[in-house]
Amino acid sequence: MIDIEEEENLTPQGDLALQLTALPRETNGFGDIFGGWLVSQMDLAGTAMASKVAAGRVATVAIDRMAFLVPVAVGAQLSFYTQTLEIGRSSIQMLVEVWSDDPLSSEWRKVTEAVFVFVAIDGSGRTRPVPPRRG
């Protein structure tokens, strides 16, 4: 895992997969955006990109190296970036990063990251090979 202090001035890795605004209905008891909601949005962003790589349906099978760096405030504009790390016979390992543009402070900062593992599946829900990448 990358050292958080070294990462503060870096830019997002990968491609923009999803953007949305954090709304009040997504808060926990302390008024911050609920981590579980954020993870579900990361899964949606990762699934969208992994299904392109797999040329079809995928299932999330693991989430590795989850790290929440800062809380997310209501009203923050969240940007989800994905980067394919590795493609196996039927699996796709994808880094998903979330960056926040806080409307009150105008700060652009990394909120969280995780490595998601997806498996390509067929219409019956069985594992299938990931097709070779087109150049």
Side-chain angles (χ1 to χ4, degrees), residues 46-111:
T47 297
M49 299 309 277
S51 65
K52 288 181 183 180
V53 173
R57 189 174 167 195
V58 297
T60 307
V61 294
I63 302 172
D64 190 22
R65 297 186 345 190
M66 189 81 198
F68 290 101
L69 308 176
V70 294
V72 176
V74 170
Q77 180 70 33
L78 300 173
S79 299
F80 297 74
Y81 292 85
T82 61
Q83 180 181 27
T84 303
L85 300 176
E86 187 177 328
I87 300 172
R89 188 189 75 74
S90 62
S91 65
I92 301 158
Q93 227 181 51
M94 186 157 305
L95 173 67
V96 181
E97 293 184 351
V98 182
W99 289 72
S100 171
D101 191 2
D102 190 318
L104 299 177
S105 66
S106 296
E107 267 191 285
W108 173 249
R109 59 189 182 171
K110 187 174 187 177
V111 171

Side-chain angles (χ1 to χ4, degrees), residues 2 6 14 19 21 25 27 31 35 37 46 52 54 57 62 65-66 68 87-88 91 100 109 115 117 124 126:
I2 299 170
E6 290 178 15
Q19 276 191 314
T21 302
R25 68 176 178 238
T27 58
W37 175 82
K52 288 181 183 180
R57 189 174 167 195
R65 297 186 345 190
M66 189 81 198
F68 290 101
I87 300 172
S91 65
S100 171
R109 59 189 182 171
V115 175
V117 180
S124 302
R126 293 202 167 99

